[in-house]
Amino acid sequence: MTVHPTDDPITTVALRQADRTVVLAQRLVSWITHTHELEEEIALANIGVDLLGQARALYSAVAEREGTGLTEDDYAYHRDDWQFRNPLLVEQANGDFAHTMVRQFLHDAYATELWNGLLTSTDERLAAIAGKAVKETAYHLRHSGTWVVRLGDGTPESHDRAQDALDRLWRFTGELFESDDVVAGLVATGVVPDPEDLRRRWDATVDRVLGQATLVPPADVVMATGGWSGHHGEALSRLLGEMQVLQRTHPGASW
Amino acid sequence: MSAPVDAVRRAVHEVPDPELPFLTIGDLGIVRDVRLPETSDGTVEIDITPTYTGCPATEAIADAVADAVRAVGHAHVRVRSVLAPAWSTDWISDTGRDKLREAGISPPGPAGTVGLGLPPACPRCGSALTRELSFFGSTACQARYVCGACLEPFDHVKPL
């Protein structure tokens, strides 16, 4: 079975955000048993659970909106990689701890502004989800931002690793603020915030934290694009292969 | 004799939290509404709100609430999870805060203070010389601190 959602605009943006959160949650939990200290392991698991909770709320909203009797699980487990609408940033492999934390920080700064903007969405369901998520995300940003400063302004080794991560990941940040017909239509009706506003606020946060961290974004980067419309790298297919295998092999399995 | 809705409300409020079982869900402030049906064979509707969106205890709480309602004589019960307005630690009752302190857990300060304010006082010795070990503790809602005076580590419910 493969689920085929409609191209309803609100379904589309809710799925993009649900996919963003579920993919990043899956990335974070693969750190379990691999971090350098127990506290960090618990932190990444906690952040992953928050993201998973946000994904569940969004997939459930989509399921109700589509009204075809499907559940949150169907949307997470029974769509193929080309149907996923997450931005490319979150599917990037974990790399070392600096790479994970820089990725997380660039993401959390975006998520903070997105949820803040959705608080006043004319779609009540999205506004309600944002009301919860904005509080959780404040803790995530505090955590990842603190680590980026600590690593960037730390030892030569940690600085170089954090700078290397920023150099590799920066090209996935432009996509976060892309607009298209779906987004433009929903901005006009007050359902989603204007990506240009998000970018201005994101820039301010990122400039401030990277400055404290003595990290410099690379210049003249050609931004990657395609995630919002389902054009992904191989990394996502492998991630979903692991995440979906049980439900694909034994549909409806529970324990 | 109290109204039937009070009996149901009391039963629901007394359900223990699965993660912090010395607290009731009434103490936590997550019970939003209790509605009785007009006929005795109708469905009782309970609204609860999750503390964190991804809190794994939410489903266990919903099951326990349904059991509690059935135990006071209502066969049909539906528990809904309501997101808005979002739960805040400000809704934890004074009784709940006392119970947290007695259990060695520092209760939350006012919501909206992420990254601001003084560290919480040690729930064991009362010292203000505490420091944060980790923003994230044994459950989604807690952070880990250590006391500089008595040297004991403790959990702190994060303001949300």
mmCIF file of all heavy atoms in Angstrom, chain A residues 85-129:
data_model
loop_
_atom_site.group_PDB
_atom_site.id
_atom_site.type_symbol
_atom_site.label_atom_id
_atom_site.label_comp_id
_atom_site.label_asym_id
_atom_site.label_seq_id
_atom_site.Cartn_x
_atom_site.Cartn_y
_atom_site.Cartn_z
ATOM 1 N N ARG A 85 8.313 15.545 1.661
ATOM 2 C CA ARG A 85 8.382 16.970 1.311
ATOM 3 C C ARG A 85 9.260 17.746 2.287
ATOM 4 O O ARG A 85 9.118 18.954 2.419
ATOM 5 C CB ARG A 85 6.952 17.550 1.318
ATOM 6 C CG ARG A 85 6.041 16.970 0.254
ATOM 7 C CD ARG A 85 6.467 17.446 -1.125
ATOM 8 N NE ARG A 85 5.568 16.997 -2.176
ATOM 9 C CZ ARG A 85 5.788 15.938 -2.955
ATOM 10 N NH1 ARG A 85 6.875 15.200 -2.781
ATOM 11 N NH2 ARG A 85 4.937 15.619 -3.903
ATOM 12 N N ASN A 86 10.138 17.056 3.015
ATOM 13 C CA ASN A 86 10.996 17.750 3.978
ATOM 14 C C ASN A 86 12.069 18.558 3.269
ATOM 15 O O ASN A 86 12.522 18.176 2.183
ATOM 16 C CB ASN A 86 11.664 16.727 4.902
ATOM 17 C CG ASN A 86 12.474 15.710 4.130
ATOM 18 O OD1 ASN A 86 11.908 14.751 3.610
ATOM 19 N ND2 ASN A 86 13.793 15.926 4.011
ATOM 20 N N PRO A 87 12.516 19.660 3.882
ATOM 21 C CA PRO A 87 13.655 20.381 3.319
ATOM 22 C C PRO A 87 14.914 19.517 3.419
ATOM 23 O O PRO A 87 15.054 18.695 4.335
ATOM 24 C CB PRO A 87 13.761 21.631 4.187
ATOM 25 C CG PRO A 87 13.101 21.272 5.469
ATOM 26 C CD PRO A 87 12.031 20.277 5.128
ATOM 27 N N LEU A 88 15.836 19.728 2.487
ATOM 28 C CA LEU A 88 17.026 18.868 2.386
ATOM 29 C C LEU A 88 17.898 18.925 3.636
ATOM 30 O O LEU A 88 18.569 17.946 3.977
ATOM 31 C CB LEU A 88 17.854 19.284 1.163
ATOM 32 C CG LEU A 88 17.121 19.131 -0.182
ATOM 33 C CD1 LEU A 88 17.908 19.840 -1.289
ATOM 34 C CD2 LEU A 88 16.928 17.657 -0.527
ATOM 35 N N LEU A 89 17.891 20.059 4.342
ATOM 36 C CA LEU A 89 18.760 20.221 5.509
ATOM 37 C C LEU A 89 18.604 19.068 6.501
ATOM 38 O O LEU A 89 19.593 18.527 6.994
ATOM 39 C CB LEU A 89 18.456 21.557 6.205
ATOM 40 C CG LEU A 89 19.237 21.834 7.490
ATOM 41 C CD1 LEU A 89 20.731 22.028 7.196
ATOM 42 C CD2 LEU A 89 18.693 23.061 8.220
ATOM 43 N N VAL A 90 17.359 18.690 6.797
ATOM 44 C CA VAL A 90 17.150 17.732 7.885
ATOM 45 C C VAL A 90 17.515 16.299 7.515
ATOM 46 O O VAL A 90 17.703 15.461 8.395
ATOM 47 C CB VAL A 90 15.700 17.777 8.429
ATOM 48 C CG1 VAL A 90 15.410 19.131 9.062
ATOM 49 C CG2 VAL A 90 14.679 17.447 7.353
ATOM 50 N N GLU A 91 17.591 16.005 6.214
ATOM 51 C CA GLU A 91 17.940 14.627 5.839
ATOM 52 C C GLU A 91 19.446 14.416 5.766
ATOM 53 O O GLU A 91 19.909 13.281 5.626
ATOM 54 C CB GLU A 91 17.287 14.259 4.504
ATOM 55 C CG GLU A 91 17.942 14.896 3.276
ATOM 56 C CD GLU A 91 17.081 14.790 2.024
ATOM 57 O OE1 GLU A 91 15.877 15.113 2.103
ATOM 58 O OE2 GLU A 91 17.620 14.378 0.980
ATOM 59 N N GLN A 92 20.236 15.492 5.863
ATOM 60 C CA GLN A 92 21.689 15.348 5.788
ATOM 61 C C GLN A 92 22.183 14.442 6.924
ATOM 62 O O GLN A 92 21.705 14.534 8.047
ATOM 63 C CB GLN A 92 22.371 16.717 5.865
ATOM 64 C CG GLN A 92 21.972 17.660 4.732
ATOM 65 C CD GLN A 92 22.107 17.019 3.352
ATOM 66 O OE1 GLN A 92 23.170 16.482 3.017
ATOM 67 N NE2 GLN A 92 21.038 17.033 2.567
ATOM 68 N N ALA A 93 23.136 13.578 6.593
ATOM 69 C CA ALA A 93 23.643 12.605 7.564
ATOM 70 C C ALA A 93 24.173 13.309 8.812
ATOM 71 O O ALA A 93 24.558 14.478 8.757
ATOM 72 C CB ALA A 93 24.738 11.758 6.926
ATOM 73 N N ASN A 94 24.195 12.584 9.921
ATOM 74 C CA ASN A 94 24.614 13.173 11.192
ATOM 75 C C ASN A 94 26.051 13.684 11.176
ATOM 76 O O ASN A 94 26.351 14.693 11.795
ATOM 77 C CB ASN A 94 24.475 12.147 12.327
ATOM 78 C CG ASN A 94 23.026 11.980 12.757
ATOM 79 O OD1 ASN A 94 22.193 12.845 12.493
ATOM 80 N ND2 ASN A 94 22.729 10.870 13.404
ATOM 81 N N GLY A 95 26.942 12.979 10.496
ATOM 82 C CA GLY A 95 28.351 13.361 10.546
ATOM 83 C C GLY A 95 28.874 13.286 11.972
ATOM 84 O O GLY A 95 28.423 12.453 12.768
ATOM 85 N N ASP A 96 29.813 14.182 12.311
ATOM 86 C CA ASP A 96 30.294 14.184 13.692
ATOM 87 C C ASP A 96 29.348 15.032 14.550
ATOM 88 O O ASP A 96 28.355 15.584 14.051
ATOM 89 C CB ASP A 96 31.751 14.654 13.775
ATOM 90 C CG ASP A 96 31.962 16.074 13.246
ATOM 91 O OD1 ASP A 96 30.967 16.810 13.090
ATOM 92 O OD2 ASP A 96 33.130 16.436 13.002
ATOM 93 N N PHE A 97 29.664 15.168 15.828
ATOM 94 C CA PHE A 97 28.749 15.876 16.731
ATOM 95 C C PHE A 97 28.600 17.343 16.321
ATOM 96 O O PHE A 97 27.506 17.919 16.393
ATOM 97 C CB PHE A 97 29.265 15.763 18.175
ATOM 98 C CG PHE A 97 28.332 16.377 19.174
ATOM 99 C CD1 PHE A 97 27.117 15.790 19.477
ATOM 100 C CD2 PHE A 97 28.667 17.575 19.812
ATOM 101 C CE1 PHE A 97 26.246 16.365 20.388
ATOM 102 C CE2 PHE A 97 27.811 18.159 20.725
ATOM 103 C CZ PHE A 97 26.592 17.549 21.012
ATOM 104 N N ALA A 98 29.695 17.957 15.855
ATOM 105 C CA ALA A 98 29.621 19.363 15.427
ATOM 106 C C ALA A 98 28.669 19.490 14.239
ATOM 107 O O ALA A 98 27.869 20.428 14.167
ATOM 108 C CB ALA A 98 31.020 19.870 15.054
ATOM 109 N N HIS A 99 28.738 18.543 13.322
ATOM 110 C CA HIS A 99 27.875 18.566 12.136
ATOM 111 C C HIS A 99 26.411 18.445 12.558
ATOM 112 O O HIS A 99 25.545 19.183 12.074
ATOM 113 C CB HIS A 99 28.284 17.413 11.214
ATOM 114 C CG HIS A 99 27.713 17.489 9.834
ATOM 115 N ND1 HIS A 99 26.529 16.876 9.498
ATOM 116 C CD2 HIS A 99 28.154 18.105 8.709
ATOM 117 C CE1 HIS A 99 26.275 17.113 8.209
ATOM 118 N NE2 HIS A 99 27.241 17.850 7.710
ATOM 119 N N THR A 100 26.137 17.536 13.492
ATOM 120 C CA THR A 100 24.763 17.376 13.985
ATOM 121 C C THR A 100 24.281 18.652 14.656
ATOM 122 O O THR A 100 23.145 19.084 14.459
ATOM 123 C CB THR A 100 24.695 16.194 14.967
ATOM 124 O OG1 THR A 100 24.845 14.987 14.221
ATOM 125 C CG2 THR A 100 23.366 16.152 15.710
ATOM 126 N N MET A 101 25.141 19.286 15.451
ATOM 127 C CA MET A 101 24.714 20.460 16.206
ATOM 128 C C MET A 101 24.554 21.688 15.323
ATOM 129 O O MET A 101 23.650 22.495 15.537
ATOM 130 C CB MET A 101 25.700 20.763 17.341
ATOM 131 C CG MET A 101 25.370 20.038 18.609
ATOM 132 S SD MET A 101 23.674 20.418 19.149
ATOM 133 C CE MET A 101 23.224 18.850 19.842
ATOM 134 N N VAL A 102 25.414 21.851 14.332
ATOM 135 C CA VAL A 102 25.257 22.977 13.405
ATOM 136 C C VAL A 102 23.970 22.779 12.597
ATOM 137 O O VAL A 102 23.191 23.719 12.420
ATOM 138 C CB VAL A 102 26.489 23.121 12.486
ATOM 139 C CG1 VAL A 102 26.220 24.133 11.372
ATOM 140 C CG2 VAL A 102 27.710 23.546 13.302
ATOM 141 N N ARG A 103 23.742 21.566 12.129
ATOM 142 C CA ARG A 103 22.496 21.268 11.412
ATOM 143 C C ARG A 103 21.293 21.604 12.293
ATOM 144 O O ARG A 103 20.324 22.230 11.856
ATOM 145 C CB ARG A 103 22.467 19.778 11.018
ATOM 146 C CG ARG A 103 21.243 19.362 10.208
ATOM 147 C CD ARG A 103 21.178 17.837 10.042
ATOM 148 N NE ARG A 103 20.960 17.183 11.330
ATOM 149 C CZ ARG A 103 21.211 15.897 11.567
ATOM 150 N NH1 ARG A 103 21.689 15.118 10.633
ATOM 151 N NH2 ARG A 103 20.981 15.397 12.768
ATOM 152 N N GLN A 104 21.377 21.171 13.556
ATOM 153 C CA GLN A 104 20.270 21.389 14.488
ATOM 154 C C GLN A 104 20.037 22.882 14.729
ATOM 155 O O GLN A 104 18.901 23.346 14.754
ATOM 156 C CB GLN A 104 20.573 20.675 15.817
ATOM 157 C CG GLN A 104 19.379 20.595 16.751
ATOM 158 C CD GLN A 104 18.299 19.681 16.188
ATOM 159 O OE1 GLN A 104 18.592 18.715 15.476
ATOM 160 N NE2 GLN A 104 17.045 19.986 16.474
ATOM 161 N N PHE A 105 21.124 23.605 14.880
ATOM 162 C CA PHE A 105 20.983 25.041 15.141
ATOM 163 C C PHE A 105 20.358 25.766 13.945
ATOM 164 O O PHE A 105 19.438 26.575 14.110
ATOM 165 C CB PHE A 105 22.350 25.659 15.480
ATOM 166 C CG PHE A 105 22.328 27.153 15.438
ATOM 167 C CD1 PHE A 105 21.596 27.876 16.369
ATOM 168 C CD2 PHE A 105 23.005 27.846 14.440
ATOM 169 C CE1 PHE A 105 21.537 29.260 16.310
ATOM 170 C CE2 PHE A 105 22.946 29.234 14.376
ATOM 171 C CZ PHE A 105 22.204 29.933 15.313
ATOM 172 N N LEU A 106 20.860 25.482 12.738
ATOM 173 C CA LEU A 106 20.305 26.139 11.540
ATOM 174 C C LEU A 106 18.819 25.802 11.425
ATOM 175 O O LEU A 106 17.997 26.640 11.064
ATOM 176 C CB LEU A 106 21.067 25.693 10.286
ATOM 177 C CG LEU A 106 22.554 26.097 10.239
ATOM 178 C CD1 LEU A 106 23.243 25.428 9.053
ATOM 179 C CD2 LEU A 106 22.712 27.614 10.174
ATOM 180 N N HIS A 107 18.478 24.561 11.756
ATOM 181 C CA HIS A 107 17.077 24.130 11.733
ATOM 182 C C HIS A 107 16.267 24.794 12.840
ATOM 183 O O HIS A 107 15.171 25.305 12.607
ATOM 184 C CB HIS A 107 16.999 22.607 11.884
ATOM 185 C CG HIS A 107 15.631 22.133 12.238
ATOM 186 N ND1 HIS A 107 15.188 22.054 13.552
ATOM 187 C CD2 HIS A 107 14.568 21.786 11.481
ATOM 188 C CE1 HIS A 107 13.927 21.657 13.559
ATOM 189 N NE2 HIS A 107 13.527 21.480 12.326
ATOM 190 N N ASP A 108 16.764 24.775 14.060
ATOM 191 C CA ASP A 108 15.990 25.290 15.199
ATOM 192 C C ASP A 108 15.711 26.788 15.052
ATOM 193 O O ASP A 108 14.647 27.268 15.456
ATOM 194 C CB ASP A 108 16.731 25.039 16.519
ATOM 195 C CG ASP A 108 16.808 23.563 16.874
ATOM 196 O OD1 ASP A 108 16.053 22.761 16.277
ATOM 197 O OD2 ASP A 108 17.634 23.214 17.748
ATOM 198 N N ALA A 109 16.675 27.515 14.482
ATOM 199 C CA ALA A 109 16.459 28.946 14.270
ATOM 200 C C ALA A 109 15.313 29.151 13.281
ATOM 201 O O ALA A 109 14.496 30.062 13.431
ATOM 202 C CB ALA A 109 17.746 29.612 13.763
ATOM 203 N N TYR A 110 15.230 28.272 12.276
ATOM 204 C CA TYR A 110 14.111 28.319 11.320
ATOM 205 C C TYR A 110 12.801 27.902 11.991
ATOM 206 O O TYR A 110 11.772 28.584 11.876
ATOM 207 C CB TYR A 110 14.416 27.386 10.138
ATOM 208 C CG TYR A 110 13.199 27.042 9.309
ATOM 209 C CD1 TYR A 110 12.646 27.964 8.424
ATOM 210 C CD2 TYR A 110 12.584 25.791 9.427
ATOM 211 C CE1 TYR A 110 11.518 27.650 7.674
ATOM 212 C CE2 TYR A 110 11.462 25.473 8.679
ATOM 213 C CZ TYR A 110 10.935 26.405 7.804
ATOM 214 O OH TYR A 110 9.816 26.099 7.083
ATOM 215 N N ALA A 111 12.838 26.781 12.724
ATOM 216 C CA ALA A 111 11.606 26.252 13.343
ATOM 217 C C ALA A 111 11.021 27.263 14.325
ATOM 218 O O ALA A 111 9.806 27.438 14.410
ATOM 219 C CB ALA A 111 11.901 24.920 14.038
ATOM 220 N N THR A 112 11.907 27.958 15.055
ATOM 221 C CA THR A 112 11.439 28.969 16.004
ATOM 222 C C THR A 112 10.612 30.032 15.297
ATOM 223 O O THR A 112 9.518 30.394 15.742
ATOM 224 C CB THR A 112 12.656 29.631 16.678
ATOM 225 O OG1 THR A 112 13.362 28.622 17.407
ATOM 226 C CG2 THR A 112 12.241 30.736 17.633
ATOM 227 N N GLU A 113 11.129 30.533 14.185
ATOM 228 C CA GLU A 113 10.418 31.592 13.459
ATOM 229 C C GLU A 113 9.154 31.060 12.788
ATOM 230 O O GLU A 113 8.121 31.717 12.762
ATOM 231 C CB GLU A 113 11.339 32.248 12.422
ATOM 232 C CG GLU A 113 12.585 32.878 13.008
ATOM 233 C CD GLU A 113 12.304 33.812 14.178
ATOM 234 O OE1 GLU A 113 11.186 34.354 14.266
ATOM 235 O OE2 GLU A 113 13.201 33.981 15.022
ATOM 236 N N LEU A 114 9.245 29.833 12.258
ATOM 237 C CA LEU A 114 8.068 29.252 11.609
ATOM 238 C C LEU A 114 6.916 29.099 12.608
ATOM 239 O O LEU A 114 5.790 29.524 12.354
ATOM 240 C CB LEU A 114 8.413 27.880 11.014
ATOM 241 C CG LEU A 114 7.187 27.210 10.411
ATOM 242 C CD1 LEU A 114 6.915 27.745 9.012
ATOM 243 C CD2 LEU A 114 7.305 25.707 10.415
ATOM 244 N N TRP A 115 7.206 28.492 13.762
ATOM 245 C CA TRP A 115 6.123 28.257 14.741
ATOM 246 C C TRP A 115 5.592 29.580 15.275
ATOM 247 O O TRP A 115 4.396 29.742 15.483
ATOM 248 C CB TRP A 115 6.611 27.374 15.889
ATOM 249 C CG TRP A 115 6.925 25.958 15.531
ATOM 250 C CD1 TRP A 115 8.094 25.302 15.784
ATOM 251 C CD2 TRP A 115 6.075 25.000 14.882
ATOM 252 N NE1 TRP A 115 8.028 24.007 15.322
ATOM 253 C CE2 TRP A 115 6.795 23.797 14.777
ATOM 254 C CE3 TRP A 115 4.771 25.039 14.379
ATOM 255 C CZ2 TRP A 115 6.275 22.642 14.187
ATOM 256 C CZ3 TRP A 115 4.236 23.899 13.790
ATOM 257 C CH2 TRP A 115 4.982 22.714 13.694
ATOM 258 N N ASN A 116 6.495 30.540 15.497
ATOM 259 C CA ASN A 116 6.033 31.858 15.934
ATOM 260 C C ASN A 116 5.070 32.458 14.919
ATOM 261 O O ASN A 116 4.044 33.028 15.276
ATOM 262 C CB ASN A 116 7.225 32.802 16.118
ATOM 263 C CG ASN A 116 7.649 32.890 17.567
ATOM 264 O OD1 ASN A 116 6.806 33.046 18.448
ATOM 265 N ND2 ASN A 116 8.939 32.776 17.821
ATOM 266 N N GLY A 117 5.412 32.309 13.639
ATOM 267 C CA GLY A 117 4.555 32.845 12.588
ATOM 268 C C GLY A 117 3.227 32.113 12.495
ATOM 269 O O GLY A 117 2.197 32.708 12.158
ATOM 270 N N LEU A 118 3.241 30.805 12.792
ATOM 271 C CA LEU A 118 2.009 30.012 12.692
ATOM 272 C C LEU A 118 1.074 30.219 13.889
ATOM 273 O O LEU A 118 -0.079 29.787 13.853
ATOM 274 C CB LEU A 118 2.342 28.525 12.538
ATOM 275 C CG LEU A 118 2.861 28.094 11.160
ATOM 276 C CD1 LEU A 118 3.328 26.637 11.200
ATOM 277 C CD2 LEU A 118 1.769 28.257 10.089
ATOM 278 N N LEU A 119 1.573 30.861 14.952
ATOM 279 C CA LEU A 119 0.717 31.099 16.126
ATOM 280 C C LEU A 119 -0.553 31.850 15.745
ATOM 281 O O LEU A 119 -1.602 31.659 16.346
ATOM 282 C CB LEU A 119 1.473 31.920 17.179
ATOM 283 C CG LEU A 119 2.550 31.201 17.987
ATOM 284 C CD1 LEU A 119 3.251 32.198 18.899
ATOM 285 C CD2 LEU A 119 1.941 30.068 18.796
ATOM 286 N N THR A 120 -0.438 32.725 14.754
ATOM 287 C CA THR A 120 -1.593 33.534 14.347
ATOM 288 C C THR A 120 -2.179 33.035 13.025
ATOM 289 O O THR A 120 -2.876 33.779 12.332
ATOM 290 C CB THR A 120 -1.184 35.015 14.192
ATOM 291 O OG1 THR A 120 -0.038 35.080 13.327
ATOM 292 C CG2 THR A 120 -0.825 35.634 15.528
ATOM 293 N N SER A 121 -1.905 31.778 12.676
ATOM 294 C CA SER A 121 -2.454 31.214 11.437
ATOM 295 C C SER A 121 -3.977 31.264 11.457
ATOM 296 O O SER A 121 -4.607 31.050 12.498
ATOM 297 C CB SER A 121 -1.996 29.766 11.275
ATOM 298 O OG SER A 121 -2.662 29.160 10.178
ATOM 299 N N THR A 122 -4.563 31.521 10.300
ATOM 300 C CA THR A 122 -6.021 31.481 10.193
ATOM 301 C C THR A 122 -6.533 30.047 10.194
ATOM 302 O O THR A 122 -7.728 29.813 10.285
ATOM 303 C CB THR A 122 -6.489 32.186 8.903
ATOM 304 O OG1 THR A 122 -5.741 31.661 7.798
ATOM 305 C CG2 THR A 122 -6.264 33.688 8.990
ATOM 306 N N ASP A 123 -5.631 29.073 10.079
ATOM 307 C CA ASP A 123 -6.017 27.668 10.238
ATOM 308 C C ASP A 123 -5.869 27.310 11.717
ATOM 309 O O ASP A 123 -4.762 27.266 12.253
ATOM 310 C CB ASP A 123 -5.135 26.760 9.372
ATOM 311 C CG ASP A 123 -5.588 25.308 9.439
ATOM 312 O OD1 ASP A 123 -5.170 24.596 10.389
ATOM 313 O OD2 ASP A 123 -6.379 24.901 8.577
ATOM 314 N N GLU A 124 -6.992 27.054 12.376
ATOM 315 C CA GLU A 124 -6.966 26.851 13.840
ATOM 316 C C GLU A 124 -6.101 25.668 14.248
ATOM 317 O O GLU A 124 -5.444 25.689 15.286
ATOM 318 C CB GLU A 124 -8.384 26.629 14.361
ATOM 319 C CG GLU A 124 -9.180 27.905 14.478
ATOM 320 C CD GLU A 124 -10.562 27.653 15.059
ATOM 321 O OE1 GLU A 124 -10.797 26.547 15.595
ATOM 322 O OE2 GLU A 124 -11.403 28.565 14.948
ATOM 323 N N ARG A 125 -6.134 24.623 13.433
ATOM 324 C CA ARG A 125 -5.382 23.427 13.785
ATOM 325 C C ARG A 125 -3.875 23.713 13.775
ATOM 326 O O ARG A 125 -3.152 23.325 14.696
ATOM 327 C CB ARG A 125 -5.732 22.314 12.786
ATOM 328 C CG ARG A 125 -5.205 20.942 13.149
ATOM 329 C CD ARG A 125 -5.939 20.383 14.346
ATOM 330 N NE ARG A 125 -5.488 19.055 14.676
ATOM 331 C CZ ARG A 125 -6.127 17.946 14.309
ATOM 332 N NH1 ARG A 125 -7.231 18.015 13.607
ATOM 333 N NH2 ARG A 125 -5.660 16.761 14.656
ATOM 334 N N LEU A 126 -3.422 24.393 12.724
ATOM 335 C CA LEU A 126 -1.994 24.727 12.652
ATOM 336 C C LEU A 126 -1.607 25.672 13.784
ATOM 337 O O LEU A 126 -0.538 25.538 14.382
ATOM 338 C CB LEU A 126 -1.664 25.359 11.298
ATOM 339 C CG LEU A 126 -1.692 24.422 10.083
ATOM 340 C CD1 LEU A 126 -1.396 25.195 8.808
ATOM 341 C CD2 LEU A 126 -0.699 23.274 10.246
ATOM 342 N N ALA A 127 -2.483 26.621 14.103
ATOM 343 C CA ALA A 127 -2.189 27.560 15.195
ATOM 344 C C ALA A 127 -2.077 26.814 16.528
ATOM 345 O O ALA A 127 -1.208 27.123 17.355
ATOM 346 C CB ALA A 127 -3.263 28.638 15.266
ATOM 347 N N ALA A 128 -2.945 25.822 16.735
ATOM 348 C CA ALA A 128 -2.912 25.059 17.993
ATOM 349 C C ALA A 128 -1.624 24.247 18.104
ATOM 350 O O ALA A 128 -0.991 24.197 19.164
ATOM 351 C CB ALA A 128 -4.132 24.135 18.070
ATOM 352 N N ILE A 129 -1.227 23.619 17.004
ATOM 353 C CA ILE A 129 0.019 22.836 17.018
ATOM 354 C C ILE A 129 1.201 23.772 17.277
ATOM 355 O O ILE A 129 2.099 23.468 18.068
ATOM 356 C CB ILE A 129 0.188 22.061 15.694
ATOM 357 C CG1 ILE A 129 -0.911 20.996 15.567
ATOM 358 C CG2 ILE A 129 1.566 21.412 15.614
ATOM 359 C CD1 ILE A 129 -1.009 20.349 14.190
#
